[in-house]
Amino acid sequence: MRSPGQQSDVSRVPVGRVPVTVRTARWCATHPRKAIAGWVLLLALCVGAGAAAGTNKGSFADFWVGEAGRAEAMASGSGLTPPPVEQVLIERRAGGPAAGAAGPGEPGVAATEIRGRMAALPAVESVAEPVVARGGGAVRVAVTLRGDKETAKQDVDALLAQTAAVQKAHPALLIEQTGSASISVAVNDKQGEELGRTEMISLPVTFLILLAVFGAVLAAGIPVLLALFAFAGAVGLYGLASWIFPDAGGAALSVIFMMGMAVGVDYSLFYLKRAREERERSGSTISHVRAVELAAATSGRAVVDSGLAVALALAGLYLVGDVVFSSIATGAILVTLVAVGGSLTVLPALLALLGHRTDGGRFARRRGRRAEGRMWAAVLRPVVRRPLLALVAGLVVTVALAAPTLSMRLGTEGKETFPDSVPSVAAYDRLVAAFPSEGPAHLVLVRGDDPAVPLRRLAEATRGDALFAQDRAPVVRIAQDGRTALLALPVPYAANSAEASRSLERVRERLLPAAVAGMSGAQWAVSGEIAAGADYAAHQERRLPWVVLFVSLATLAVMYAAFRSLVAAALGMLLNLAAVLVSWGVLTLVFQGTWAEGLLGFESLGFVGSRTPLMVFAILVGLSTDYQIFVVSRIREAVRRGVPTREAVVDGIAGSASVVTSAAVIMVSVFVSFLFIDRIEMKQIAVGLTVAVLFDAIVLRAVILPSAMSLLGARAWWPARPPRARAGSASPDQSGTATGDVARVRGSDASER
């Protein structure tokens, strides 16, 4: 029982000391219509401003990395950048005429028609003579476009329309168009369609899960609505931010939606559930406004800490020095901050305005929550009774799942990795099979006096070498200034194959140095799909340790600020890294092997995408810290009520089990929906995040965290161990803790009365 003196002390807490999250929630809850109208107006301004500003697309120079980037700069500066080229492939269908045969409807007639139609287009600079493949099985027509690769994406639809018209006129032939522009446009369009379907799947699934959790349609709809608001607002702000951090071809939109659904729903869920608990704890004797204030003092503060942790974790991606990661970090940070803002303002307003209409199914919810709490308590008590054994078992599982990370091989996406369900991708595969020299190529640049001489030596050195295409002789191009020359060395293998890597190594380390030997003051570099992919992967590997270090220290600082405990913060950081390593290990097992191809609908490339580990790391650390802040905050609240640490661990984890488990289920449902996108990079991200969330819920939260904190005991709160107090009392030390915040809310409430 709280003594009268204690009650009086609490009641005298000045109103000004009430946390800003509580003051904000109080105003929004007491002026709900103004808060909602203001929020809607703000979102409209964000969307309108973003639409008016447009999206600043990154230039090709933004993607240049390493030696390949230097080669691209040399080519651009001397006017040797290869122009965009589209290839029209004409093949006979089964039983059709041979290529080059005489007679009506033969491929030669179709090729002539293609040349005439394409030459008449304003976007076309030139159309080459038809080339017949060895064996006469196919004919290709090369169409060179004006402008650069970006303008080619805008012009390619006109070319595709002409190709389709010729195909319609020659049904006995298979006529398809392929090239970098047509592949890029088709892949992006397909991903956009599949992302739309993903949204249509994840939204109703999330709503149904929330309906099962809350038992009320309005309560289930509020988190989904706020997540969509966060997504819309962030997309608008992203358009403005792209003028500082250029957009990398729309790569950020998928991540914005994924993060918006994850954190937007999570924050609303945590806040809404805590408000309900406060009303149920008081027997519904307090108003919805007061319940919202009490929730703001606990879950509201945790939302702020979590949002800060997520934003800092994502900010580590800027250290990569890559336009793709910078655009992804910008979009994900914006949607997180908008979600935090919505949870602290419009959510309290909605809860106060709707009142009891969000309460439905109270008896069933209370019984379900108590049953789940008892289940978690039954699971946790053996762990805290034998914490050392449980900790060792959890670490063994962690090491076993993380060990494959040591054999992870990174690679980059290319034309060969895109889904064959895209017609231009399938046509590219057939084009390279018929014309090996149309596959990936090494672009070798040399600058100096008479630069063509060493390049001709290099071309001669590759003659007859199986690592290079031999169906046509490579041609040296010389810049107008005569001091820079370019040689394209085609490779008859996929850009990510071992053979392609060996050919690059041979050119860079042996053949090219030998060719330029004795050339005074010469500069040289190698670019092309193979070189760019290798340099990009190497760049990620070099930057990865710095990103890991920054994100780890940032989350350590945030958790220390949240708990005032260096030990608890360090434990949280180590648990984050454990989840990341497990995720990477499973990614290696799944995607570098072939056993899961049929299960997940992909064709193994033998590597993990070079962007995937960093993306999974940054997103996962933020979300994992999100969970830990909510769970450890509950444990700390129990400790501050005077509960011994071991019992507090059980009480805190079991007490938060309902909300955290619901959040994990929702998050998994969002991530799993991305498995339906037919792009291996998206599947890898989905698998990595899904595995990490499940591992966090099953192993980290149920075994390693409780066992570690039980072994640490009071030392878990070093250097500022919270003082114990009798249950229900306010702690004398109210420096930013959840219990102290609640006391200040209740104290200010009493003083107002």
Side-chain angles (χ1 to χ4, degrees):
M1 293 284 296
R2 180 180 299 168
S3 69
Q6 287 173 320
Q7 178 67 40
S8 176
D9 289 341
V10 171
S11 66
R12 286 198 297 268
V13 175
V15 177
R17 291 183 59 191
V18 174
V20 65
T21 56
V22 177
R23 296 199 301 270
T24 302
R26 175 178 295 172
W27 189 92
C28 293
T30 53
H31 304 84
R33 288 181 173 82
K34 290 182 180 179
I36 294 171
W39 183 251
V40 172
L41 177 61
L42 179 62
L43 289 179
L45 289 175
C46 291
V47 173
T55 302
N56 177 34
K57 301 289 185 181
S59 66
F60 287 101
D62 293 325
F63 295 85
W64 294 347
V65 173
E67 180 181 335
R70 294 197 305 273
E72 295 289 348
M74 290 171 62
S76 177
S78 58
L80 289 176
T81 300
V85 176
E86 289 288 301
Q87 299 278 359
V88 179
L89 180 65
I90 305 171
E91 297 178 293
R92 54 175 179 162
R93 297 185 187 272
E106 93 273 4
V109 174
T112 300
E113 188 173 344
I114 283 287
R115 293 194 68 211
R117 285 176 173 268
M118 295 297 186
L121 296 176
V124 173
E125 181 175 292
S126 63
V127 183
E129 292 286 341
V131 179
V132 180
R134 292 178 180 177
V139 173
R140 67 174 178 87
V141 178
V143 183
T144 302
L145 282 73
R146 304 182 192 277
D148 56 20
K149 295 178 182 178
E150 194 59 41
T151 59
K153 295 177 185 178
Q154 303 169 9
D155 297 332
V156 73
D157 284 342
L159 279 72
L160 290 168
Q162 299 303 322
T163 302
V166 177
Q167 171 66 88
K168 185 176 180 180
H170 298 270
L173 301 174
L174 180 61
I175 305 174
E176 295 178 297
Q177 181 178 322
T178 187
S180 296
S182 54
I183 289 176
S184 178
V185 169
V187 169
N188 288 338
D189 288 347
K190 180 179 176 63
Q191 183 170 323
E193 294 172 1
E194 291 174 337
L195 180 61
R197 287 199 296 270
T198 296
E199 295 171 0
M200 297 304 295
I201 294 172
S202 60
L203 288 176
V205 169
T206 300
F207 176 79
L208 291 175
I209 294 171
L210 290 170
L211 184 60
V213 171
F214 291 118
V217 172
L218 285 176
I222 287 174
V224 176
L225 180 65
L226 291 184
L228 290 176
F229 279 174
F231 173 70
V235 169
L237 292 174
Y238 179 75
L240 296 174
S242 69
W243 294 95
I244 302 174
F245 301 103
D247 174 62
L253 288 180
S254 299
V255 178
I256 292 176
F257 176 75
M258 181 188 293
M259 290 294 296
M261 289 301 298
V263 299
V265 170
D266 274 7
Y267 295 162
S268 302
L269 177 64
F270 293 145
Y271 203 116
L272 205 161
K273 290 283 286 186
R274 189 61 183 253
R276 275 190 168 184
E277 288 179 14
E278 294 293 344
R279 276 182 53 79
E280 291 177 3
R281 183 180 295 118
S282 66
S284 298
T285 59
I286 63 174
S287 67
H288 282 86
V289 172
R290 188 59 62 212
V292 165
E293 292 180 22
L294 294 172
T298 52
S299 291
R301 181 189 175 97
V303 164
V304 173
D305 291 337
S306 173
L308 180 60
V310 173
L312 283 175
L314 292 165
L317 293 178
Y318 289 117
L319 297 179
V320 181
D322 175 78
V323 65
V324 175
F325 283 104
S326 295
S327 63
I328 288 173
T330 301
I333 289 172
L334 287 173
V335 78
T336 300
L337 296 180
V338 174
V340 170
S343 299
L344 299 181
T345 56
V346 73
L347 179 57
L350 287 171
L351 293 179
L353 184 66
L354 296 174
H356 63 84
R357 282 171 287 182
T358 63
D359 286 346
R362 179 176 300 173
F363 175 73
R365 289 195 314 276
R366 184 182 300 168
R367 183 177 59 184
R369 189 178 64 252
R370 288 176 178 172
E372 186 174 0
R374 287 195 297 269
M375 179 195 74
W376 273 95
V379 170
L380 292 168
R381 291 196 188 281
V383 173
V384 298
R385 277 199 299 265
R386 295 179 176 82
L388 183 59
L389 179 62
L391 181 60
V392 170
L395 292 177
V396 168
V397 173
T398 302
V399 171
L401 291 174
T405 302
L406 297 173
S407 61
M408 179 185 287
R409 177 174 171 257
L410 299 181
T412 55
E413 278 193 319
K415 296 184 180 71
E416 301 87 354
T417 67
F418 294 139
D420 290 339
S421 56
V422 177
S424 54
V425 174
Y428 174 80
D429 293 340
R430 288 193 290 273
L431 174 72
V432 174
F435 302 92
S437 60
E438 297 305 314
H442 302 307
L443 302 181
V444 185
L445 274 295
V446 174
R447 177 176 293 163
D449 297 329
D450 203 1
V453 173
L455 290 180
R456 293 192 182 100
R457 293 178 193 153
L458 177 62
E460 183 64 26
T462 62
R463 183 174 299 176
D465 191 329
L467 291 177
F468 303 91
Q470 302 295 324
D471 56 318
R472 71 176 182 186
V475 178
V476 176
R477 292 177 55 204
I478 304 175
Q480 289 184 352
D481 62 7
R483 289 189 49 80
T484 308
L486 167 69
L487 174 69
L489 291 175
V491 176
Y493 303 101
N496 286 296
S497 66
E499 293 86 355
S501 297
R502 287 202 300 272
S503 70
L504 176 63
E505 181 181 355
R506 185 170 298 181
V507 170
R508 280 182 167 177
E509 297 183 8
R510 289 176 48 196
L511 301 181
L512 183 55
V516 298
M519 187 176 175
S520 178
Q523 299 177 17
W524 63 88
V526 181
S527 183
E529 290 180 54
I530 303 167
D535 291 350
Y536 193 82
H539 178 75
Q540 307 308 317
E541 290 181 355
R542 288 193 301 269
R543 296 299 180 96
L544 180 59
W546 295 104
V547 176
V548 171
L549 178 62
F550 172 84
V551 173
S552 298
L553 293 177
T555 53
L556 179 69
V558 171
M559 285 191 283
Y560 177 77
F563 307 134
R564 298 297 190 270
S565 167
L566 186 60
V567 174
L571 177 61
M573 182 188 70
L574 292 175
L575 294 181
N576 287 343
L577 294 178
V580 169
L581 290 175
V582 166
S583 175
W584 289 352
V586 173
L587 278 173
T588 304
L589 283 175
V590 171
F591 290 100
Q592 286 187 193
T594 59
W595 62 273
E597 288 180 330
L599 181 65
L600 299 179
F602 72 94
E603 183 177 345
S604 176
L605 304 173
F607 61 83
V608 174
S610 61
R611 288 195 291 256
T612 302
L614 271 172
M615 286 185 61
V616 168
F617 171 76
I619 295 173
L620 176 57
V621 168
L623 298 180
S624 183
T625 304
D626 176 9
Y627 283 161
Q628 290 185 50
I629 286 175
F630 280 95
V631 172
V632 178
S633 294
R634 285 295 188 99
I635 297 173
R636 194 165 192 257
E637 285 183 48
V639 171
R640 292 181 64 83
R641 292 195 305 268
V643 179
T645 298
R646 288 198 179 191
E647 287 301 314
V649 167
V650 176
D651 291 350
I653 296 178
S656 61
S658 175
V659 62
V660 175
T661 301
S662 301
V665 171
I666 291 169
M667 204 170 294
V668 167
S669 71
V670 172
F671 296 152
V672 167
S673 67
F674 278 76
L675 287 172
F676 297 98
I677 296 179
D678 191 13
R679 187 163 176 174
I680 195 165
E681 187 176 46
M682 297 305 298
K683 292 180 184 291
Q684 289 179 353
I685 293 172
V687 168
L689 294 176
T690 299
V691 166
V693 170
L694 293 175
F695 178 78
D696 184 278
I698 296 172
V699 179
L700 293 184
R701 184 155 56 94
V703 179
I704 296 181
L705 175 63
S707 61
M709 294 199 73
S710 297
L711 287 171
L712 290 168
R715 293 184 296 272
W717 311 110
W718 184 87
R721 177 179 174 233
R724 293 184 178 181
R726 286 190 295 274
S729 68
S731 168
D733 175 17
Q734 295 177 352
S735 58
T737 65
T739 304
D741 290 346
V742 173
R744 285 195 291 276
V745 175
R746 287 174 175 148
S748 65
D749 190 25
S751 64
E752 287 171 354
R753 292 195 296 271

